[in-house]
């Protein structure tokens, strides 16, 4: 049973370009979470999605960042006009139902974004 | 809102026992999670406590006191491979996503 799949694993973008990070949840999981981890810092919650719905985006920066989880296909975290401060590891996680009520949340291997 | 505190770093030697503490403040409690994260890798689930007391799972045990807002992760018979960051997490106030502490970096030496 494949785990949470993220791609690309490593992405380099120039300032001002767009970054798209993809996440396929574990089989049977319909809930997806995105986290950002800056060097020497903890995991910061960004957004929680179900299929076609954003449930909680309280951790998302107001500008340049967006996320979706379409009916078909992976969840996508999109960062427009990237800046150096966006350089970080972006982790996706999934759970079978509403997370954090005794449901374990499983993480993908992460996507490392470097903005040059 | 949530607030989670853990020590930043700890060191120990192979074969020893180490206790990693976590204090938390949360509006509405729905359990506490511990994850392990090796450098450059994904966090992996270790334990989940929702009731007070000690949960033992092999070399790792996790303890919870809801009245004190306190948990600890106990690692026994330490091995070099236990060198990692240990993350304490509680559900977000809406009971959905997990909010993580900054993690405790454990270094195990021979």
């Amino acid at each position: 049973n494949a785990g949470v799949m993220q791609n690309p694993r490593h992405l380099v973008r120039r300032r001002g370009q767009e970054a798209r990070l993809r996440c396929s949840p574990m089989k049977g999981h319909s809930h997806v979470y995105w986290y950002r981890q800056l060097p020497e810092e903890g995991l910061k919650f960004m957004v929680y999605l179900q299929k076609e719905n954003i449930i909680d985006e309280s951790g998302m920066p107001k500008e340049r960042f967006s996320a979706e989880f379409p009916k078909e296909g992976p969840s996508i975290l999109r960062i427009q006009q990237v800046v150096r401060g966006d350089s970080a590891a972006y982790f996706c996680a999934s759970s079978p139902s509403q997370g954090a009520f005794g449901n374990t949340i499983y993480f993908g291997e992460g996507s490392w974004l470097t903005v040059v | 809102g949530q607030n989670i505190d853990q020590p930043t770093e700890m060191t120990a030697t192979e074969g020893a026992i180490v206790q990693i503490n976590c204090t938390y403040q949360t509006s509405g409690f729905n359990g506490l999670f511990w994850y392990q994260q090796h450098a450059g890798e994904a966090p992996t689930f270790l334990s989940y406590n929702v009731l007070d007391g000690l949960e033992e799972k092999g070399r790792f045990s996790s303890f919870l006191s809801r009245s004190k807002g306190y948990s600890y992760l106990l690692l026994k018979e330490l091995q070099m491979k236990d060198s990692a960051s240990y993350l304490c997490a509680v559900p977000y106030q809406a009971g959905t996503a997990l909010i993580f502490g900054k993690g405790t970096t454990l270094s195990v030496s021979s």
Side-chain angles (χ1 to χ4, degrees), chain A:
Chain A
N1 187 17
V4 180
M5 304 300 291
Q6 290 189 247
N7 69 83
R9 290 295 312 279
H10 298 277
L11 182 64
V12 179
R13 285 287 178 266
R14 296 185 184 279
R15 280 177 294 171
Q17 291 184 319
E18 178 179 288
R20 284 193 180 220
L21 310 177
R22 288 174 291 278
C23 169
S24 296
M26 285 181 71
K27 187 177 180 181
H29 287 194
S30 58
H31 297 242
V32 165
Y33 315 80
W34 285 95
Y35 288 81
R36 176 165 62 175
Q37 188 170 40
L38 293 166
E40 309 303 321
E41 293 193 15
L43 287 161
K44 298 293 187 185
F45 166 71
M46 299 181 75
V47 63
Y48 163 40
L49 310 104
Q50 294 177 29
K51 286 282 188 181
E52 301 184 278
N53 285 305
I54 296 174
I55 306 302
D56 182 351
E57 56 181 349
S58 57
M60 286 276 272
K62 297 296 181 213
E63 297 177 349
R64 301 187 299 109
F65 285 72
S66 62
E68 62 177 6
F69 190 15
K71 186 177 181 180
E72 301 292 336
S75 175
I76 295 174
L77 179 68
R78 182 183 178 201
I79 311 172
Q80 295 177 290
Q81 300 172 351
V82 296
V83 300
R84 288 224 170 103
D86 297 332
S87 296
Y90 292 84
F91 287 96
C92 172
S94 72
S95 66
S97 58
Q98 189 174 19
F101 280 120
N103 289 307
T104 300
I105 294 177
Y106 295 91
F107 282 84
E109 294 295 318
S111 290
W112 268 257
L113 171 66
T114 302
V115 179
V116 297

Side-chain angles (χ1 to χ4, degrees), chain B residues 3-96:
Chain B
N3 188 43
I4 301 171
D5 287 312
Q6 306 177 235
T8 304
E9 293 180 337
M10 298 184 72
T11 59
T13 54
E14 273 188 301
I17 299 174
V18 70
Q19 177 175 312
I20 303 175
N21 296 324
C22 170
T23 57
Y24 64 89
Q25 295 172 324
T26 182
S27 52
F29 183 76
N30 288 292
L32 185 141
F33 293 75
W34 283 96
Y35 280 78
Q36 179 192 59
Q37 185 179 26
H38 286 98
E41 297 183 10
T44 55
F45 171 78
L46 288 178
S47 68
Y48 170 67
N49 293 66
V50 66
L51 299 176
D52 290 350
L54 187 68
E55 296 268 349
E56 297 187 72
K57 191 187 295 185
R59 293 190 299 114
F60 293 7
S61 303
S62 56
F63 171 84
L64 175 68
S65 169
R66 289 173 293 173
S67 62
K68 295 181 180 178
Y70 167 69
S71 173
Y72 67 72
L73 183 68
L74 192 70
L75 293 76
K76 303 176 186 176
E77 301 170 15
L78 281 173
Q79 303 174 10
M80 298 291 285
K81 68 179 182 179
D82 297 328
S83 293
S85 183
Y86 291 86
L87 311 174
C88 175
V90 294
Y92 194 45
Q93 62 190 76
T96 56

